[in-house]
Amino acid sequence: MPKILILRFSSIGDIVLTTPVIRCIREQLPGAEVHYCTKKAFQSILQHNPHVDKVHVLEDSLNKLVDKLKAENFDYIVDLHNNLRTRIIKTRLGKPNRSFDKLNYEKWLMVNFKRNKPDVHIVQRYLDAAAALGVQDDGKGLEYFIPAPDEVDLYTLPDGFQNGYVAFAIGAQHFTKRLPTSRIIELCEQLQQPVVLLGGKEDTAVGEEIAAHFLSDKATDKVQPLIFNACGKYNLNGSASLVRQAEKVVSHDTGLMHIAAAFQKDIISVWGNTIPEFGMYPFRTKYKVLEVHGLSCRPCSKIGYSKCPKGHFKCMWDIPFGDLEFKKE
């Protein structure tokens, strides 16, 4: 019975994107025992996954982690992070292994010369890293498992949100991946449905500003959407539950977008300084992309910045929202 170790330390979206690899290894290798190594902060994403036998966490010491992993005597390591720490772990464990291709050169060409778009989804590259085990793509999508205590009862939401809403993940790790607040307000106006704003505690103030805008605008003749600021009010699983129960999801390039894809939600995906062709677009679900085409400075990074390097931030200010309705297939 093979004993397999999967390495991916961060972050939310990246770990959710590894779930097809976990499932395929467990289901396609008879009797396989699957262990996963990540940072302690992301342990909750994996501990309820029925395909994972054991989660190992990196806390304060890489040496202590390596000692624990050595004691497991793994047969094979699938490295889905491919950084210095995972290379140290693989070297010290001395087991057969394979790493996923980050396509760093291709991304560098795209960022610096605007050519050779990679356009290979990261899930496929993750699966390629497990191919030596005989694992093949099963054609299914992502997975996310919510423990029962974290499921949100919609009847605990304010009136007006219990019979359907749009979930809007307003946060993102980097400033250049987030719409300016006034543009989020504009997009909420065009959704024409109740909107639940999702994000962490760091997004609470922006969520309050958005909600306050619509409360102060009630005297106008416009029909304003109902806004519920749920940022910082729920843990990750609670936010995932609100995503799962939404009619559709609007999201920047962030972890909740990939959680929405795991639940096969219709997704409006908003892109600023990065591009979907880097391979992080919603996987195997129905989605539409909002972005600025033909902007000479885009992409300016494969990740993101704390401010626009050019100072104009056209990649977000100039996004045309257009028709936001999904067409029936």
Side-chain angles (χ1 to χ4, degrees):
M1 293 190 294
K3 194 173 186 179
I4 312 299
L5 173 65
I6 298 173
L7 300 172
R8 179 76 216 189
F9 288 124
S10 63
S11 52
I12 295 170
D14 298 281
I15 293 171
V16 174
L17 287 162
T18 68
T19 55
V21 178
I22 302 170
R23 179 183 64 245
C24 289
I25 289 175
R26 185 62 180 274
E27 292 184 349
Q28 296 177 24
L29 299 182
E33 186 175 334
V34 180
H35 291 220
Y36 200 112
C37 184
T38 191
K39 288 182 179 178
K40 186 174 180 60
F42 305 108
Q43 182 178 10
S44 65
I45 303 172
L46 297 156
Q47 63 187 116
H48 300 286
N49 188 322
H51 306 301
V52 177
D53 292 287
K54 188 174 182 179
V55 179
H56 304 269
V57 296
L58 173 63
E59 297 186 74
D60 56 341
S61 169
L62 186 62
N63 287 331
K64 290 180 181 178
L65 174 62
V66 169
D67 289 341
K68 290 179 181 178
L69 296 176
K70 276 185 177 179
E72 296 287 352
N73 193 25
F74 294 105
D75 295 299
Y76 198 86
I77 303 170
V78 181
D79 181 2
L80 303 183
H81 205 130
N82 194 7
N83 66 359
L84 177 59
R85 283 180 298 192
T86 61
R87 288 192 285 273
I88 291 172
I89 289 172
K90 290 183 295 184
T91 299
R92 292 183 59 182
L93 294 187
K95 297 296 182 178
N97 64 83
R98 176 86 179 271
S99 302
F100 97 102
D101 188 351
K102 288 187 170 183
L103 299 181
N104 281 338
Y105 178 64
E106 291 85 350
K107 291 178 182 178
W108 181 84
L109 285 175
M110 189 60 209
V111 168
N112 291 281
F113 299 101
K114 307 301 181 278
R115 62 185 181 91
N116 290 354
K117 291 182 180 180
D119 206 13
V120 179
H121 202 285
I122 193 171
V123 173
Q124 187 56 59
R125 287 181 275 135
Y126 283 160
L127 286 163
D128 289 345
L133 294 169
V135 170
Q136 297 179 342
D137 184 358
D138 61 7
K140 301 176 184 178
L142 311 178
E143 293 181 303
Y144 192 91
F145 300 92
I146 304 173
D150 287 337
E151 285 283 8
V152 176
D153 183 347
L154 294 189
Y155 287 102
T156 64
L157 299 183
D159 292 343
F161 296 90
Q162 299 171 8
N163 296 313
Y165 59 87
V166 176
F168 195 149
I170 64 171
Q173 186 175 2
H174 300 280
F175 171 85
T176 51
K177 285 185 167 187
R178 297 192 299 267
L179 282 166
T181 303
S182 63
R183 295 235 67 200
I184 294 177
I185 290 171
E186 181 186 346
L187 187 48
C188 287
E189 289 175 334
Q190 293 193 219
L191 291 170
Q192 298 182 343
Q193 289 178 266
V195 179
V196 174
L197 304 177
L198 295 176
K201 292 181 179 179
E202 68 278 8
D203 303 307
T204 302
V206 173
E208 288 301 320
E209 182 181 350
I210 295 166
H213 167 84
F214 290 108
L215 286 174
S216 65
D217 211 21
K218 290 299 183 185
T220 70
D221 293 332
K222 293 190 297 183
V223 177
Q224 300 291 3
L226 294 170
I227 303 292
F228 173 52
N229 179 23
C231 296
K233 291 182 170 65
Y234 299 90
N235 64 14
L236 178 60
N237 287 330
S239 294
S241 177
L242 289 171
V243 164
R244 184 184 65 79
Q245 298 178 85
E247 292 188 2
K248 61 185 172 186
V249 176
V250 183
S251 180
H252 301 119
D253 173 20
T254 188
L256 284 178
M257 179 183 76
H258 300 299
I259 290 174
F263 294 125
Q264 296 288 294
K265 309 307 293 187
D266 289 352
I267 300 171
I268 296 172
S269 179
V270 183
W271 295 78
N273 80 291
T274 56
I275 57 175
E277 289 84 357
F278 282 161
M280 301 286 283
Y281 50 88
F283 187 68
R284 288 186 181 152
T285 195
K286 191 177 175 184
Y287 70 97
K288 63 172 58 182
V289 169
L290 299 182
E291 63 181 336
V292 177
H293 293 285
L295 193 59
S296 62
C297 57
R298 180 176 178 263
C300 63
S301 164
K302 68 177 183 179
I303 302 175
Y305 292 114
S306 59
K307 63 180 180 179
C308 171
K310 297 288 186 181
H312 54 64
F313 204 25
K314 289 184 177 180
C315 63
M316 281 300 192
W317 282 115
D318 292 354
I319 291 180
F321 292 153
D323 180 12
L324 300 178
E325 290 300 316
F326 284 86
K327 302 298 188 294
K328 297 293 184 182
E329 294 184 340

